[in-house]
């Protein structure tokens, strides 16, 4: 967690205000967030399913990334009714759904660039 008055925090806020692209990229950046989002869309919407589907991600990192995506209102966590033990599934919010065509376009661009 950065101190609010640190130069890093001030510079970050400047960049976020200067261009919405900077803020958008910060919300999906990182090694795993895009893979998590695409996996949720493909039906791997529970923690254990995500962990099995995404190779090489640790449970700790997966949990941290899910919390960050939830905090940024890109996904939501819902309790599965009548499940024992209590089950939780992740779903895209409206913001997350709006992000899908952008992620697909970035994926296509990455394939072309590769």
């Amino acid at each position: 967690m950065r101190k609010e008055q640190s130069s890093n925090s001030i510079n970050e806020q400047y960049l976020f205000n200067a261009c919405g692209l900077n803020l958008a990229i910060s919300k999906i950046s990182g090694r795993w967030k895009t893979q998590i989002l695409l996996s949720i869309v493909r039906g791997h919407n529970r923690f254990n399913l995500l962990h099995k589907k995404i190779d090489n991600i640790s449970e700790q990192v997966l949990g941290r990334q899910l919390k960050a995506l939830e905090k940024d209102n890109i996904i939501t966590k819902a309790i599965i009714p009548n499940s024992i033990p209590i089950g939780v599934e992740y779903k895209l919010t409206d913001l997350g759904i709006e992000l899908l065509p952008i992620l697909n376009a970035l994926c296509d661009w990455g394939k072309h660039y590769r």
Side-chain angles (χ1 to χ4, degrees), residues 56-72:
N56 300 322
I57 190 170
S58 71
E59 288 185 4
Q60 183 180 16
V61 170
L62 177 58
R64 204 169 34 231
Q65 297 296 283
L66 287 167
K67 284 180 184 174
L69 289 166
E70 187 177 10
K71 177 182 169 269
D72 290 333

Side-chain angles (χ1 to χ4, degrees), residues 2-105:
R2 282 194 191 121
K3 295 179 183 175
E4 267 185 56
Q5 296 305 314
S6 72
S7 59
N8 281 341
S9 181
I10 291 167
N11 290 339
E12 187 176 71
Q13 288 308 309
Y14 169 78
L15 290 171
F16 291 170
N17 290 328
C19 177
L21 178 62
N22 295 320
L23 178 61
I25 288 175
S26 77
K27 298 305 176 187
I28 60 168
S29 67
R31 190 172 295 163
W32 302 106
K33 286 182 182 176
T34 55
Q35 289 302 302
I36 291 168
L37 292 172
L38 294 174
S39 291
I40 289 172
V41 168
R42 294 179 181 133
H44 309 285
N45 58 356
R46 297 180 75 171
F47 188 91
N48 286 334
L49 292 174
L50 287 165
H51 189 248
K52 287 178 188 172
K53 187 65 181 171
I54 303 171
D55 293 334
N56 300 322
I57 190 170
S58 71
E59 288 185 4
Q60 183 180 16
V61 170
L62 177 58
R64 204 169 34 231
Q65 297 296 283
L66 287 167
K67 284 180 184 174
L69 289 166
E70 187 177 10
K71 177 182 169 269
D72 290 333
N73 198 33
I74 296 171
I75 63 171
T76 187
K77 184 167 59 171
I79 295 176
I80 301 169
N82 303 321
S83 61
I84 300 174
I86 295 175
V88 172
E89 66 182 0
Y90 297 93
K91 297 178 182 180
L92 296 182
T93 61
D94 290 342
L95 279 175
I97 292 168
E98 288 177 21
L99 188 56
L100 287 178
I102 298 162
L103 292 178
N104 288 327

